[in-house]
Amino acid sequence: MEEETFFVGQEFPDVKAFRNAIKEAAIAQHFEVRIIKSDLIRYFAKCAAEACPWRIRAVKLPNAPTFAIRSLEGKHTCGRNAHNGHHQASIDWIVSFIEQRLRDNINYKPKDILHDIHQQYGITIPYKQAWRAKERGLAAIYGSSEEGYCLLPSYCEEIKKTNPGSIAEVFTTGPDHRFQRLFVSFYSSIYGFLNGCLPVIGLGGIHLKSKYLGTLLSATSFDAEGGLFPLAFGVVDEENDESWMWFLSELHKALEMNTQNMPQLTFISDTQKGIADAVRRKFPNSVHDICIRHLSESIGKEFKNPRLVHLLWKAAQATTTSGFKEKMAEIEEVSLDAAKWLQQFHPSRWAFVYFEGTHYGHFSSNIEEFNKWILEAHELPIIQVIERIHGKLMTEFEERRKQSNSWFSLLAPSAENYILEAISRASTYQVLRSDQVEFEVLSADRSDIVNIGTHCCSCREWQLYGLPCSHAVAALISCQKDVYAFTEKCFTAASYRETYAGEIYPIEAKPRWVKTEEAAMTDDDDNRVFVRPPKIRRLPGRPEKKRVCVEDINPGKHTVCCSLCNQTGHYKTTCKERF
């Protein structure tokens, strides 16, 4: 608004629209407004600069909310220079400015707000004001955090109503019913996992950044194509050993309710002792291994040496004990402390050659992929986090179901390609048969022992991936066996389709189930439980990116040195040679 757009007789829908127009013009044209009279039927204001003659008067028209300008006097002579702030640039005005941008991009940052306002209006507002405006804008669009907790019981009931068989429970603590935990698992996810997914579960926690913080705990699996498959998730007020024990207890109950025979599971997680204890107690027949990506990141942060990260991956991926010991010896040469640090994690939990369970080719928990699903919802109220996961599940189930309808192979495409490559390599091998099930397979540079009865090969690929390796394929072809009959069922296209056979049904819009909730309250107000937010809450202001420890930066006493005499213990300003 470089030029004034007001004129006598101009009309506005109501007094609010007129006030907003005055405010917008004042900010855009860099003049301050002094309001002389403002109520529901009249508005009289002038320029705040003493010598400026600009005046404006507007009144409400009879029998209508419309406001019309009755007089407009003088032109601005105040210079209207741009300046750092503006009295009219209130938080409410900033909220109206950023509302649509926030709808389009939840991660619209305060620094972006500062930039856009300065670029469009030429004024600079404080960072804290932009931060508060974003908080208020998110609350206006998505509801407040307090409202989110209060509506959780109703939302859980709506999940169970629209998706029969699903589990959605909220747990509170104390006489005032403070939020403690939430567990959600859609029936279609439980069915898909038990009937089509790989029997591998990745566990992890994602820290939420809303007003009352909290941690999102997740149990995710993999489909036959290696795609992320969320099985269950929960929100806890605090991540600790007790909360993980609770989460895995709820997960065990959810699976037990839907199957008579619990599958042999392999769990993958970070190095938290609480997770290991919970898995051991709630799933005693399962295997629990460490996420190799997490372990490599941990050793990198601990010892600040990228070579150690590289050697750790080499040691983890070694398929012979001699190869593993060789890489461990190299780690010890680089850092004896790092080698000792690794000793706290038994090799059977992170090294391929010692793995006890079948990983089906997956050695990381995949928590980073799940984090991408809710990345934009980290700062939103708890119900919006659940809605984001629910919406993503609906989309992925539909898209992957349609995708699999175009497959004509027995196995899912990635598994099919793996077998075809193995068949191609197997054609160059020589096979020596020992008995009905054991073979020796000779290649150009090595010899491997294959047992088709136990689905084992000395290269360990068959055990690790669940698909016959090239040596196993050569042995199977030599005795005229069907290679596809020796692949795990979970890699078939039929299992993939079964994974996504269920429907994730939509949940009604918030106003409808809130209205239903209010109607139910009138019938039985005494049994109504209002969930209050947890006592833990985020501190106001921008959070610190990283806590810096002074002792880490400067562990020893600082020694000063004189630039004149090059002696230690004093500066040049106090050097005796100056005098």
Side-chain angles (χ1 to χ4, degrees), residues 6 43 55 65 81 114 136 195 201 207 255 270 282-283 349 384 413 452 493 538 546 552 556:
F6 299 123
Y43 182 97
R55 302 282 190 279
N81 296 320
L114 298 178
R136 193 176 295 180
N195 293 278
I201 295 179
H207 295 293
L255 296 176
D270 60 24
K282 300 301 177 181
F283 295 87
R349 296 186 61 202
Q384 271 63 46
I452 63 173
R538 184 186 63 205
K546 183 178 179 182
D552 292 341

Side-chain angles (χ1 to χ4, degrees), residues 113 118 225 265 464:
I113 297 174
H118 185 269
E225 277 289 272
L265 300 173
L464 290 170

Side-chain angles (χ1 to χ4, degrees), residues 339-395:
K340 290 180 179 178
W341 180 83
L342 268 177
Q343 289 176 4
Q344 64 183 309
F345 311 112
H346 196 277
S348 64
R349 296 186 61 202
W350 60 272
F352 290 13
V353 71
Y354 295 112
F355 275 150
E356 296 174 355
T358 303
H359 281 243
Y360 302 91
H362 297 283
F363 309 101
S364 296
S365 64
N366 219 11
I367 188 66
E368 292 82 5
E369 186 66 26
F370 187 59
N371 189 22
K372 294 177 183 177
W373 279 32
I374 64 162
L375 189 61
E376 292 186 347
H378 276 181
E379 299 180 23
L380 297 183
I382 188 169
I383 285 182
Q384 271 63 46
V385 175
I386 307 170
E387 286 184 337
R388 188 58 55 96
I389 297 172
H390 169 256
K392 187 69 173 175
L393 279 171
M394 286 181 61
T395 303

